[in-house]
């Protein structure tokens, strides 16, 4: 992914925190039969050595894992808030008219190596971790142990694990940093006025970057 320095997301911890906060990723590999992509929720774990890995699972019937050898190079793509930006919000439009539309967005491409654990202990731990992560904070959180063991065992026979060891990443946070301050203010105001929750999320992100630089 092309990342101009102005749009670089930040330090490694900030990038990994972004991935953890947007855990529905696209796994892309080059398999024996060509390119494969699968969308799946993942969870981030750090080893005592500092090595970062993502864990998840795929349907056993999915040909992706069967056509991608364990240890193969892979890409995990994470995306965050995104929104169209009209030049009508720019104050400089009135001054020069030399403005064009653009798109604000946040994305991380993580490079690494993928493997496909199939042992029951790995799968059960993965399901437990994912469930606990996304049930946290609910009034009546569901736990894997709420389901009968025989039923869980049957479900696990229909999946394979996904382990992705991180090697490097490209992280992009394009949020109007290249515009003059008056244009940034216009973008924040314009997106904030939208009823679309995604537009409002981008407005907050643009405003946070603006305020951190003031």
């Amino acid at each position: 992914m092309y990342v101009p320095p102005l749009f670089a997301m930040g330090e490694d911890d900030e990038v990994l925190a972004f991935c953890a906060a947007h855990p529905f990723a696209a796994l892309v590999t080059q398999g024996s039969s060509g390119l494969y992509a699968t969308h799946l929720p993942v969870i981030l774990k750090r080893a005592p050595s500092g090595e970062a890995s993502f864990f998840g699972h795929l349907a056993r019937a999915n040909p992706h894992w069967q056509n991608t050898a364990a240890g193969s190079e892979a890409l995990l793509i994470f995306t965050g808030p995104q929104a169209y930006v009209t030049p009508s919000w720019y104050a400089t439009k009135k001054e020069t008219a030399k403005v064009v539309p653009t798109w604000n967005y946040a994305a991380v491409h993580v490079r690494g190596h993928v493997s496909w654990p199939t042992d029951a202990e790995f799968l059960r731990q993965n399901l437990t971790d994912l469930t606990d992560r996304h049930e946290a904070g609910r009034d009546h959180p569901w736990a894997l142990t709420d389901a009968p063991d025989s039923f869980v065992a049957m479900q696990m026979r229909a999946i394979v694990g996904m382990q992705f060891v991180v090697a490097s990443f490209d992280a992009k946070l394009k949020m109007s940093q290249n515009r003059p301050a008056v244009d940034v203010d216009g973008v924040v105001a314009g997106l904030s006025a939208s009823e679309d929750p995604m537009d409002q999320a981008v407005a907050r992100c643009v405003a946070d970057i603006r305020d951190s630089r003031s």
Side-chain angles (χ1 to χ4, degrees), residues 96-160:
T96 68
K98 296 179 180 180
V99 291
V100 294
T102 191
W103 212 279
N104 278 354
Y105 63 95
V108 173
H109 289 190
V110 185
R111 298 182 183 276
H113 296 86
V114 67
S115 58
W116 316 105
T118 57
D119 60 282
E121 182 178 355
F122 176 95
L123 295 175
R124 183 175 290 273
Q125 187 63 57
N126 173 243
L127 293 172
T128 299
D129 291 342
L130 283 170
T131 300
D132 290 349
R133 159 72 171 80
H134 296 289
E135 290 286 336
R138 297 178 183 273
D139 292 337
H140 304 287
W142 185 88
L144 192 64
T145 52
D146 290 348
D149 285 343
S150 59
F151 176 76
V152 173
M154 180 182 68
Q155 295 294 306
M156 289 197 304
R157 287 195 289 272
I159 62 175
V160 296

Side-chain angles (χ1 to χ4, degrees), residues 4-214:
L6 188 62
F7 300 141
M9 186 170 288
E11 301 299 323
D12 291 2
D13 286 345
E14 180 184 350
V15 174
L16 291 174
F18 174 90
C19 296
H22 302 86
F24 194 65
L27 173 68
V28 183
T29 66
Q30 176 70 48
S32 58
S33 301
L35 284 171
Y36 283 86
T38 295
H39 297 265
L40 73 167
V42 297
I43 191 163
L44 170 67
K45 293 185 179 181
R46 304 290 293 270
S49 62
E51 181 181 72
S53 297
F54 291 94
F55 297 86
H57 60 272
L58 284 69
R60 185 173 287 273
N62 186 339
H64 189 157
W65 72 279
Q66 297 169 318
N67 287 275
T68 305
S72 294
E73 185 177 15
L75 186 70
L76 270 178
I77 301 176
F78 298 82
T79 56
Q82 49 79 25
Y84 172 77
V85 176
T86 171
S88 297
W89 293 333
Y90 294 158
T92 53
K93 175 180 180 292
K94 299 177 182 178
E95 300 171 6
T96 68
K98 296 179 180 180
V99 291
V100 294
T102 191
W103 212 279
N104 278 354
Y105 63 95
V108 173
H109 289 190
V110 185
R111 298 182 183 276
H113 296 86
V114 67
S115 58
W116 316 105
T118 57
D119 60 282
E121 182 178 355
F122 176 95
L123 295 175
R124 183 175 290 273
Q125 187 63 57
N126 173 243
L127 293 172
T128 299
D129 291 342
L130 283 170
T131 300
D132 290 349
R133 159 72 171 80
H134 296 289
E135 290 286 336
R138 297 178 183 273
D139 292 337
H140 304 287
W142 185 88
L144 192 64
T145 52
D146 290 348
D149 285 343
S150 59
F151 176 76
V152 173
M154 180 182 68
Q155 295 294 306
M156 289 197 304
R157 287 195 289 272
I159 62 175
V160 296
M162 190 285 298
Q163 181 172 348
F164 184 102
V165 179
V166 175
S168 63
F169 38 72
D170 299 313
K172 190 171 186 177
L173 186 65
K174 180 183 177 296
M175 293 290 169
S176 300
Q177 299 99 313
N178 59 326
R179 302 303 309 176
V182 289
D183 288 354
V184 173
D185 291 344
V187 171
V188 172
L191 290 171
S192 297
S194 169
E195 295 182 357
D196 187 331
M198 186 72 78
D199 287 351
Q200 295 173 14
V202 174
R204 290 191 294 271
C205 190
V206 174
D208 288 345
I209 294 174
R210 175 197 62 189
D211 296 346
S212 70
R213 295 181 172 185
S214 60

